[in-house]
Every structure is written in structure tokens, then in C-alpha cells.
Amino acid sequence: IVASENNTTVTITPSNNIVGHVANIPFNIILNKGQTYAAIASSVFANVHLDGSKVSSDKPIAITVSDDLLYGAVYGGCADLAGDQIIPINQIGSEYIAVRGGLNAPYDQLFVTATQNGTSINQDGVFLTTINAGQTYQTALVNNNTYITTSNPAYLYQLSGLGCEVGAAILPQITCTGSSEIQFQRTTTDNLFITLLVKSSGINNFLVNGVSGVISGASFIPVPGTSSQWYTSKVLLPLASYPVNSIVNISNSSSLFHLGVLQGDNTGGTSFGYFSDFNTITANASSNTVCYGDTLKLFSN
């Protein structure tokens, strides 16, 4: 947990025991700008780690979660670090799309964490289960993509990777979110994949560094349960065309999209994350939901 302002009071309720504090008992810490606090699970066992913990503060903070030396025996024996910066509750939603990476069988795993009691979970239109606030449900991502919906806003966290090397990322909800242009830098000679989520109207309108044809509309496949409204693609960016330290600019001339970056190899480590806009638009002047590109009519009586 890192503070952005001085004299920030943070209240932490750990879901399981952490170093210095017991589970389910709230406690406060005070941080100044740039100071950090690490809440560390008191055990290495996954079933007593800290998903479902609650954190609140009186000033803006940022939170990163991580697990070190995740034991990947089921994927082939690697042990890896995975984690991401998570988002506040007001940025989560009830509709998500996940794209499978390159992990060996049993493939990518998805973790749905509820923030309200009685949250039902559906995958590709099929009911899975109902969970309560703070509880997490795990489901596999076996197909190329999947559509997760929840009856109440929830978090979706994806374990992905290449071979037996794992990474993890918090996923953006897809209602009124996304970007029209994203830039990132290639940092290694390892394989570099991008995963793209976009509505059907945008599959033929992607540019890479201003060049069309690198991302072909033919590479996109429909997402089950979305009535072919949403499509996904996983694209390998070749090293010869996009060398180390080069800047890659992905844009779409007609549609907002979400972009994930998966970089690494099957035995040497993986980096995984989503870098499109998680933010949503809220129209305080109207009771209607407004998305990017929509028209909002204002009037006075």
C-alpha cells in the first residue's frame, strides 16, 4: 500500500493472519506521501493468503498484490512471481472478457472475488455458483476466450503465462471502458504477444505504429455469450519488426478496445498485464448511461 498524500489513515481488515495482525480484526496505519506498508501473509500456503481483505483510506492510495514462487508443478515445474496493481471498488463491474495466454494444461485460471453477498457468477452464459462478499471462486479458461458476468460488481483476476511460467493481471470490466490508442515498450528479446478485446465494428480498424494489416480482422474470434458483439485476438509481434526498446503504438480508428501484453518464454519468466483505460464515464447531468462517443443531450427546465 503506497500513500499519495501526507497523513493518510489506512484501515486494513486482513482476510487471514498477516505478520503482526490477526484475521478479520481491523487496524489503522498512518502513511505520508510515498511511504508504503506491506501486509504479508503469515503462511506460504495459498488457501490462507489475502484475497478478500478489505482496505480503505481517507486519501488516495495505490495497492499492489503479489505472490512469490508460485509453485507451477501442474504446468511443468516452474516457480514464479505474479501480481498486479489492483483497482478500487468504484472501477470494477459485472462484465469481463478474458483471453487465454500460453500456459501448459490445465491452462489459464480466473479468480472472481465478490464485494457483495449473493453474487452469482456465469461463464459463457452458464451459471457457475453464488458467493458472498470477500469470497473468491476459481474457474479455468480452457478455450481461446471466455465471457464472465456477475450479478453484482466483482473483481476478476487472471493467472496466465507461457509454458510453465506464470503471470497475473487484474482485468478491466468492459462496460463503457477502453482506449482508442495505447503505447508500450518492448523490453526483452522474448516472445511478445498482445491480446485485444473489441466490439465487432472495430476488428478491421487496428493500426500498429500507423500501419494497417499487422492486426488482421481475420485473426479475431467471437466471444461466446455476447451474441457476437465482442471479439478477441492474440497477436505475436515479431522481434525483427519490433526490436528491444522500440515503442509499439496500437490504435483503432473506430472503436475503443482493451489491450493486454504477454511477454516472456516457456521457461525463463513471464510479464503479463492490461494497459488500456479501466476508467468509466459517469454522466451526473443525466440518469442515462453514457459511453465514449455517445451524445449526451443537456437541457434546463
Side-chain angles (χ1 to χ4, degrees):
I1 302 168
V2 59
S4 64
E5 300 180 21
N6 290 334
N7 198 32
T8 298
T9 299
V10 183
T11 302
I12 303 169
T13 308
S15 58
N16 284 297
N17 292 343
I18 64 173
V19 175
H21 296 274
V22 297
N24 300 314
I25 304 297
F27 67 95
N28 292 337
I29 60 171
I30 297 177
L31 299 174
N32 288 324
K33 182 177 181 179
Q35 288 186 323
T36 63
Y37 176 86
I40 303 171
S42 60
S43 169
V44 299
F45 292 109
N47 63 346
V48 287
H49 278 192
L50 303 180
D51 56 296
S53 298
K54 298 179 182 179
V55 182
S56 61
S57 62
D58 60 352
K59 297 174 183 177
I61 59 173
I63 302 178
T64 300
V65 297
S66 66
D67 276 282
D68 198 5
L69 286 177
L70 288 171
Y71 183 45
V74 293
Y75 296 118
C78 300
D80 213 346
L81 169 70
D84 199 2
Q85 180 175 316
I86 60 173
I87 56 177
I89 284 179
N90 63 7
Q91 297 297 324
I92 64 175
S94 299
E95 287 187 88
Y96 294 90
I97 292 172
V99 181
R100 199 181 85 190
L103 283 177
N104 299 331
Y107 310 116
D108 292 22
Q109 302 294 310
L110 302 175
F111 302 85
V112 183
T113 301
T115 60
Q116 298 179 31
N117 291 336
T119 297
S120 60
I121 304 169
N122 290 270
Q123 184 172 12
D124 300 333
V126 178
F127 172 76
L128 296 179
T129 190
T130 298
I131 59 176
N132 291 324
Q135 292 182 328
T136 297
Y137 179 79
Q138 179 179 347
T139 183
L141 174 47
V142 176
N143 298 321
N144 290 318
N145 57 37
T146 194
Y147 177 53
I148 300 291
T149 59
T150 57
S151 60
N152 299 307
Y155 287 91
L156 186 61
Y157 190 63
Q158 180 178 355
L159 183 75
S160 188
L162 297 167
C164 65
E165 298 287 353
V166 299
I170 193 82
L171 298 190
Q173 62 100 356
I174 61 172
T175 303
C176 290
T177 59
S179 301
S180 58
E181 183 176 4
I182 300 169
Q183 290 185 346
F184 61 93
Q185 183 178 32
R186 185 175 203 142
T187 57
T188 73
T189 59
D190 293 335
N191 290 325
L192 174 60
F193 295 90
I194 57 172
T195 57
L196 296 161
L197 328 176
V198 70
K199 288 190 173 180
S200 58
S201 58
I203 62 174
N204 294 305
N205 301 317
F206 279 98
L207 301 176
V208 181
N209 293 346
V211 177
S212 63
V214 179
I215 301 173
S216 168
S219 70
F220 284 84
I221 57 175
V223 179
T226 68
S227 301
S228 296
Q229 292 185 24
W230 284 91
Y231 282 71
T232 68
S233 179
K234 186 171 68 174
V235 179
L236 174 65
L237 297 180
L239 181 62
S241 302
Y242 307 96
V244 175
N245 296 324
S246 63
I247 301 298
V248 182
N249 182 294
I250 310 294
S251 62
N252 191 294
S253 59
S254 67
S255 303
L256 296 175
F257 63 94
H258 281 292
L259 179 142
V261 175
L262 180 62
Q263 181 176 259
D265 62 34
N266 291 349
T267 58
T270 292
S271 300
F272 175 52
Y274 271 78
F275 299 100
S276 40
D277 195 349
F278 285 62
N279 196 30
T280 57
I281 284 182
T282 301
N284 293 324
S286 171
S287 61
N288 297 325
T289 298
V290 180
C291 296
Y292 289 95
D294 287 353
T295 298
L296 174 64
K297 184 177 181 180
L298 302 177
F299 64 93
S300 61
N301 56 27

